Amino acid sequence: MTDLLLTPLADAFLQVGVPVAVLVAAFGLLQLRHGDRLLELLRRRAGWAPAVGALLGVTPGCAGAILVMPLFTRGTVSFGTVVAALVATMGDSSWVLIAGEPVTALWVHGALLVAGLTTGYAVDALRIGPRPEDLAAQEAELAGSATSRRRRRAGERQGSGGTEDAAPTEATEAAATPGRARRHRPVGGSESALVRWTGVRGAGVLLAFWAVVVLALPASVALTAQVGTGALTAALGGLDPVLALGVLGAVVCGAVLVVRHGGSDRLAAQVGSRGDVLRRGAAETSVIVAWVAAAFVAWEVLSATTGFDGSQLPLVGVAGVVLGALVGLVPGCAVQIVLTSLYLTGAVPLPTLLANAVSQDGDALIPLLAMRRRSALLASAITTVPALVVGGVALALTT
């Protein structure tokens, strides 16, 4: 039970969860303080947009790449900026790689940045995808149509002797046309809480999560540095404090997933307060820990019951590069986190990981699918080209 369940759960929290929580909180606070400067740069310097998009995308997690999507749909940035952000992002799986192998993560993110810059500017130079001015015109037309409908309905009510003389509210218009409201609703903002907590239960779970993270931070550092804790275990009568803290942390992450609501709100990239940073950090970390723990447990059970060591998987050579790129086409971060976790176990080689990292779009593709489906599918298809190139180069250099 300890080898097959408890140790993988503890490793998922201590090796991945604790570093991820600290990094997500740190990046969230930086975003809270300096995030608007990058957005203003995108508006003022159109030629720099793909470069800024790649820089936003290469930041760990999905928030940076998500910020680009509503700007594209409003015609503020080019399609190449979207592609640059999607190529450069590794989604939430970047946290897993940073926590497990920080030096490798540095090289991988450097390759992602170069690939994102190159692909983004190439897409704009070749004039692939819709033009920003066309998108801006479409948005203006939609906004004008909505205003005309509100005025017409208000006039009809006044003409029929109704007492209501005010135009319908935005909420009323959204309720009347739910499909269009979902399609054109901007992502982010203070009105869309990243994680909603219910009463005292939610606040207690949030407090417990960060308390366990703080308590487990020294154990996480000791585990990463391979510092033995045998003497402390003996002093505690055989109770391994590192294992106990790790399992407790995994359980608390499970509690976070139980009490959090509105899973789609994770797609919002903006934060309005430090409380938002802590709530988003707890939610994102818990999701990552859940998937990593599932991968670790499944791997241990598979290895123990069948003797399977990963060499039988078609994840090496050219087939591995192609498969990694194809897996990256799956929207969201779950399957990408699993593949990165398998890399940390040694089951997936570096070229396959690189191809997957370039191809995957994380959660950033989901709001784009909701707002501009054709553009999202085109952008996702384009990312497979640099994925195959980067994976192929890595394969040639490592063989």
Side-chain angles (χ1 to χ4, degrees):
M1 179 64 69
T2 298
D3 292 338
L4 297 181
L5 181 61
L6 298 183
T7 299
L9 289 176
D11 287 346
F13 180 74
L14 293 175
Q15 294 183 10
V16 177
V18 173
V20 165
V22 174
L23 290 170
V24 168
F27 273 89
L29 292 175
L30 286 174
Q31 179 191 344
L32 184 64
R33 186 168 183 177
H34 303 293
D36 291 339
R37 296 182 182 179
L38 281 175
L39 297 181
E40 183 62 26
L41 180 62
L42 282 171
R43 296 186 181 95
R44 290 188 293 107
R45 304 279 186 176
W48 293 9
V52 177
L55 288 171
L56 285 170
V58 82
T59 56
C62 298
I66 290 173
L67 279 172
V68 178
M69 303 306 135
L71 296 177
F72 166 70
T73 61
R74 292 195 294 268
T76 304
V77 299
S78 64
F79 186 65
T81 305
V82 170
V83 173
L86 293 178
V87 169
T89 189
M90 196 178 170
D92 286 340
S93 60
S94 61
W95 297 118
V96 179
L97 187 61
I98 291 172
E101 294 187 8
V103 176
T104 302
L106 181 63
W107 287 102
V108 169
H109 283 78
L112 290 172
L113 179 60
V114 172
L117 285 169
T118 304
T119 311
Y121 278 109
V123 165
D124 280 351
L126 296 173
R127 299 184 181 276
I128 299 174
R131 295 180 299 177
E133 54 269 26
D134 294 336
L135 294 174
Q138 292 175 12
E139 288 296 311
E141 182 180 353
L142 288 171
S145 299
T147 302
S148 299
R149 285 198 306 272
R150 287 195 294 267
R151 290 175 177 174
R152 184 173 62 254
R153 291 173 183 174
E156 291 174 353
R157 282 195 297 271
Q158 292 176 354
S160 61
T163 58
E164 297 182 5
D165 56 359
T169 64
E170 184 177 348
T172 304
E173 182 68 25
T177 55
R180 178 164 293 178
R182 286 193 299 270
R183 180 179 176 86
H184 300 286
R185 181 178 54 208
V187 179
S190 58
E191 293 182 358
S192 180
L194 296 170
V195 179
R196 293 187 176 90
W197 304 86
T198 54
V200 177
R201 182 182 62 176
V205 171
L206 183 63
L207 179 62
F209 173 86
W210 287 107
V212 174
V213 168
V214 172
L215 290 174
L217 184 58
S220 177
V221 173
L223 188 63
T224 302
Q226 297 183 349
V227 176
T229 58
L232 184 58
T233 301
L236 294 175
L239 175 64
D240 187 348
V242 175
L243 179 65
L245 272 174
V247 173
L248 176 62
V251 171
V252 172
C253 287
V256 170
L257 296 178
V258 170
V259 302
R260 65 185 285 268
H261 294 275
S264 59
D265 290 338
R266 281 186 70 247
L267 300 179
Q270 297 178 357
V271 290
S273 66
R274 294 179 180 178
D276 288 340
V277 172
L278 294 178
R279 286 190 290 269
R280 184 174 73 179
E284 290 191 356
T285 302
S286 298
V287 170
I288 292 172
V289 167
W291 283 107
V292 172
F296 282 3
V297 171
W299 187 255
E300 290 296 331
V301 172
L302 185 65
S303 299
T305 55
T306 66
F308 184 81
D309 61 1
S311 60
Q312 299 89 340
L313 287 172
L315 296 175
V316 297
V318 176
V321 171
V322 174
L323 183 60
L326 292 178
V327 170
L329 291 173
V330 179
C333 293
V335 67
Q336 324 301 344
I337 291 173
V338 172
L339 190 142
T340 305
S341 303
L342 291 176
Y343 166 79
L344 296 179
T345 67
V348 173
L350 182 60
T352 301
L353 176 71
L354 277 169
N356 176 259
V358 174
S359 177
Q360 66 165 288
D361 307 317
D363 287 338
L365 191 67
I366 297 176
L368 187 59
L369 280 169
M371 294 182 287
R372 299 285 176 181
R373 184 175 294 105
R374 291 183 179 179
S375 297
L377 294 176
L378 177 60
S380 184
I382 290 174
T383 60
T384 59
V385 177
L388 294 173
V389 172
V390 172
V393 170
L395 179 63
L397 294 175
T398 56
T399 54

